[in-house]
Amino acid sequence: MRGIVWFKKDLRVSDNPALFNACGNCQDGVIGVYIIDLEMWNKHFTSHSQIEFILNGLHLLKESLAKLNIPLVIKNIESTAHIPNYLWDLAQKYQANAL
């Protein structure tokens, strides 16, 4: 089984329950994904400093996951409504059967 871990607000590798469980249960590997939801950022008036903080965190997350041989896919989405289709397409691309 291959799994996808969808990182949202918790960008930790250490002590991350979702990542821990995925690594323990997905013997065929894990792929990380972070979706930059531009619609949600605009709706919630996400400031430039918040965005910079998130992007810096994603850079650190990507480095930390790489040490574990886990790729991190970062995707910009224009609309929240597109997220389910994107996750479905990602699962098909990587032949993942767990999220």
Side-chain angles (χ1 to χ4, degrees):
M1 174 168 47
R2 177 169 289 132
I4 295 173
V5 175
W6 181 7
F7 291 90
K8 294 179 185 178
K9 292 184 179 188
D10 186 355
L11 302 182
R12 298 174 297 149
V13 169
S14 176
D15 198 31
N16 184 311
L19 182 61
F20 177 81
N21 286 321
C23 289
N25 293 316
C26 298
Q27 58 275 17
D28 294 327
V30 174
I31 291 104
V33 63
Y34 184 88
I35 299 172
I36 296 174
D37 184 347
L38 300 174
E39 179 182 42
M40 192 62 63
W41 284 7
N42 288 330
K43 185 183 281 187
H44 291 281
F45 304 104
T46 305
S47 70
H48 292 291
S49 58
Q50 284 177 296
I51 292 170
E52 186 176 332
F53 181 78
I54 292 167
L55 295 177
N56 287 334
L58 287 173
H59 176 74
L60 295 173
L61 176 62
K62 190 168 192 161
E63 287 179 348
S64 297
L65 289 174
K67 292 176 185 174
L68 300 171
N69 294 319
I70 299 173
L72 178 64
V73 177
I74 300 171
K75 175 72 174 172
N76 289 318
I77 295 284
E78 296 279 330
S79 170
T80 306
H82 295 138
I83 292 174
N85 287 337
Y86 172 71
L87 290 173
W88 176 257
D89 292 343
L90 189 69
Q92 296 300 306
K93 177 180 178 178
Y94 288 101
Q95 299 176 344
N97 48 5
L99 175 64

